[in-house]
Amino acid sequence: MKRFTTAAVTLAASTLFAATAFASGEDIFKAKCMACHPDGGNIMKKEKTLKGKDLAANKLNNTKALVKYMRNPGPGMTRFDAKALPDKDAKAVAEYILKTFK
Ligand code: HEC
């Protein structure tokens, strides 16, 4: 797990420098979520992916619900409070998820 996280952070950091000075939803996803959700999947709970069908089944298929979920996630997931992930960043990640994993 630790190795995955380090790789994800390194990857996000290099994307950051290459692309823009601001962290995009994609950058944040790669840094904070991808270790457990590679390709929008879920390495711990395979039925709870970030893909449209699962999100819809769990009423998480909109930005507001996703941000709320990050603040108060299910068992096994890291909790991201407003300090770990400010609203602006949480929204950017949510939008990235909704448009990327179909
Ligand atoms: C340490 C591993 C881990 C990390 C890091 C992590 N998650 Fe999760 N995530 C999980 C697990 C485990 C679940 C399933 C929880 C449950 O059983 O309800 C989950 C579930 C979810 C779900 C619900 C999916 C569904 O279909 O119901 C969303 C949305 C989600 N994560 C988003 C994120 C986002 C966004 C991030 C990064 C900001 C993130 N996760 C980081 C482990 C993780």
Side-chain angles (χ1 to χ4, degrees):
M1 182 62 65
K2 204 162 196 166
R3 224 170 35 145
F4 278 117
T5 313
T6 311
V9 170
T10 312
L11 190 71
S14 52
T15 322
L16 247 173
F17 288 126
T20 147
F22 300 98
S24 69
E26 181 176 3
D27 295 328
I28 299 163
F29 183 84
K30 283 178 176 162
K32 307 208 179 223
C33 319
M34 201 162 75
C36 299
H37 297 289
D39 282 328
N42 191 326
I43 59 165
M44 294 165 89
K45 267 259 176 100
K46 65 177 184 336
E47 71 276 19
K48 292 204 172 171
T49 72
L50 308 184
K51 308 208 165 139
K53 190 165 64 72
D54 288 346
L55 292 184
N58 297 320
K59 297 195 167 55
L60 293 169
N61 54 345
N62 64 76
T63 308
K64 207 173 149 197
L66 282 173
V67 171
K68 217 169 136 193
Y69 190 90
M70 292 175 227
R71 306 298 189 220
N72 193 14
M77 176 165 149
T78 316
R79 194 167 84 86
F80 297 93
D81 60 18
K83 217 170 132 198
L85 200 64
D87 279 349
K88 184 171 70 64
D89 292 353
K91 272 188 202 148
V93 178
E95 279 157 19
Y96 172 75
I97 289 171
L98 293 170
K99 78 168 195 277
T100 309
F101 308 117
K102 305 277 180 182

